[in-house]
Amino acid sequence: MDRRESTSGEDSLIARYFRPLATDPGAFDLGDDAAVLKALGDDIVVTTDAIVEGVHFLSDDPPETIARKALRVNLSDLAAKGATPAGFVLTLALRSADDGWLAPFARGLGEDIGLFGCSMLGGDTVSTPGPLMISITAFGRVPAGKMVRRCGAKPGDRVVVTGTIGDAALGLGILKGGAVATALADDAAAKEMLIRRYRVPQPRNALAKVVRDHASAAMDVSDGLAGDLAKLCAASGVSAAIDAQSIPLSTTAAALFARGVVGVGVLVSGGDDYEILCTIPEASFEVFAQDAGLTGVAVTSVGTVIADTSPPRFLDGQGREIALPHLSYSHF
């Protein structure tokens, strides 16, 4: 952590909660102003995401899930770029140095460091009168020139997503009350699953090499499938036709959709899925699917890239375009 203007209280906080997590030799036991990350002959991929109280997590969310989400949203970006996690730095803006919050936060972060093999290299701790904010910059490695960008999709490529779409938005809906919470009032297991999907994303790092080997373009789904697909298509100078019935849904989400509790718009525009969205050349799809199967990560073909510059279209079972109220979550 940055110690140039640290106080004894900040030094104590760092030593107690975060120095035990910084086991990489390049972190220098958090005793310097910077760290060293060895490239090992690879390109270094850099990504950063911040999560803010009241925007990305709720004030009463468990601290350990907040820590996991802060790291995992960055790991999700690395996975979509085909990168292997190499380390991260943490900026933590706190209202107070509360042991009851910091201890489980550090514990959750430490468990994910071990789970995903992504070392803590340093960062900064500051005080704030405003909402809590956790910002992580993560580093990954890819063979030179092999990072998968947004801009490579070609007409005829398959549009593919991992996992299931829409669960996180439904989980947030439960935490905020409303139609989903009412519909699942008597199903505690379903509610817990959806809330867990919102609070603790599942970054698809196991699929990174498969994406790197086969995808023409890729990004993670953070702001909603519809909006993020539009970004990928715009970067590639193409469009896409999506079969809405092919979008993978969890059993709970599918049941809520069938009952009319939620519509397609909520599921594809709600955000916080942190699945991988990628395009795969048709000739490579079968091998891609086989390789993906070996990782245990489910992949689903949901549509086709087309030669057009209009926004992607989501089609119903009769081929009619579905009108979406909005494409994605937007901060501004």
Side-chain angles (χ1 to χ4, degrees), residues 176-200:
K176 289 187 171 183
V180 177
T182 300
L184 296 177
D186 297 324
D187 194 338
K191 288 191 294 184
E192 175 57 30
M193 183 277 290
L194 295 175
I195 291 170
R196 184 74 176 173
R197 287 278 285 161
Y198 169 70
R199 286 176 169 168
V200 186

Side-chain angles (χ1 to χ4, degrees), residues 180-261:
V180 177
T182 300
L184 296 177
D186 297 324
D187 194 338
K191 288 191 294 184
E192 175 57 30
M193 183 277 290
L194 295 175
I195 291 170
R196 184 74 176 173
R197 287 278 285 161
Y198 169 70
R199 286 176 169 168
V200 186
Q202 298 298 317
R204 304 306 185 179
N205 297 91
L207 202 65
K209 184 179 185 301
V210 180
V211 169
R212 190 171 73 230
D213 288 345
H214 300 290
S216 54
M219 64 184 294
D220 80 331
V221 181
S222 56
D223 294 328
L225 175 61
D228 288 330
L229 176 61
K231 295 173 189 175
L232 186 150
C233 286
S236 297
V238 296
S239 186
I242 303 301
D243 175 12
Q245 292 184 316
S246 297
I247 296 171
L249 304 178
S250 67
T251 301
T252 299
L256 291 168
F257 175 74
R259 292 165 57 188
V261 177

Side-chain angles (χ1 to χ4, degrees), residues 64-192:
E64 56 269 31
T65 69
I66 297 171
R68 292 180 189 276
K69 187 168 190 176
L71 180 56
R72 290 179 182 213
V73 299
N74 286 276
L75 293 175
S76 180
D77 276 325
L78 293 180
K81 300 297 98 181
T84 301
F88 71 95
V89 294
L90 164 72
T91 296
L92 188 58
L94 300 167
R95 286 190 292 270
S96 64
D98 176 12
D99 178 73
W101 192 90
L102 279 165
F105 178 90
R107 183 169 60 250
L109 188 61
E111 290 173 357
D112 267 9
I113 286 171
L115 180 62
F116 293 102
C118 191
S119 303
M120 184 175 184
L121 299 173
D124 196 14
T125 54
V126 298
S127 63
T128 178
L132 293 173
M133 188 278 292
I134 303 99
S135 178
I136 283 180
T137 298
F139 308 93
R141 295 188 178 94
V142 296
K146 296 297 185 181
M147 189 188 87
V148 184
R149 300 180 61 192
R150 294 183 183 182
C151 61
K154 299 291 190 296
D157 288 355
R158 299 256 196 135
V159 178
V160 175
V161 293
T162 63
T164 57
I165 298 297
D167 292 332
L170 300 181
L172 178 59
I174 292 170
L175 291 171
K176 289 187 171 183
V180 177
T182 300
L184 296 177
D186 297 324
D187 194 338
K191 288 191 294 184
E192 175 57 30

